[in-house]
Amino acid sequence: MTTRRSFIRIIPITALATFAAQSAFAADVDPKDPQAAALGYVTDATKADKAKFPKYAAGQLCSNCQLYQGKPGEASGPCALFGVKSVAAKGWCSAYVKKA
Ligand code: SF4
């Protein structure tokens, strides 16, 4: 049976575990990850492989992509394609869709 006192001890442990799990999932997308590599993801849009991905155009950035969920001004943020992992605001991949 869980007493009130033991329950109170569990709360900080649970909060810490949740924070640690979120931190682990919030890792940046590695351009070498198979999914990222297949999409031609780069952390610097100017380094996009223009020969392999001719649809790339100057000015296309994760930060102005429809799938980007980061806050304006932050260096990185989540992308709908990569779950909770963050992509670079100045990055790019071939799934780019201009933000409406
Ligand atoms: Fe960046 Fe958009 Fe590609 Fe996500 S889908 S990595 S936000 S360009």
Side-chain angles (χ1 to χ4, degrees):
M1 182 174 161
T2 305
T3 64
R4 190 170 156 187
R5 187 168 295 199
S6 65
F7 181 72
I8 289 170
R9 276 193 211 131
I10 291 170
I11 291 172
I13 294 167
T14 305
L16 191 63
T18 303
F19 176 77
Q22 285 175 342
S23 297
F25 286 119
D28 291 340
V29 171
D30 183 345
K32 291 177 188 151
D33 281 351
Q35 182 189 357
L39 290 168
Y41 171 71
V42 286
T43 56
D44 178 352
T46 63
K47 298 206 167 96
D49 186 342
K50 293 151 192 101
K52 196 172 176 186
F53 302 105
K55 98 168 215 185
Y56 169 76
Q60 293 181 348
L61 300 166
C62 289
S63 61
N64 60 34
C65 172
Q66 189 75 46
L67 302 175
Y68 185 72
Q69 300 165 343
K71 293 178 184 143
E74 290 190 353
S76 63
C79 165
L81 285 184
F82 296 102
V84 294
K85 284 189 174 181
S86 290
V87 294
K90 292 180 180 174
W92 181 87
C93 89
S94 61
Y96 175 86
V97 179
K98 187 176 171 62
K99 199 173 270 185

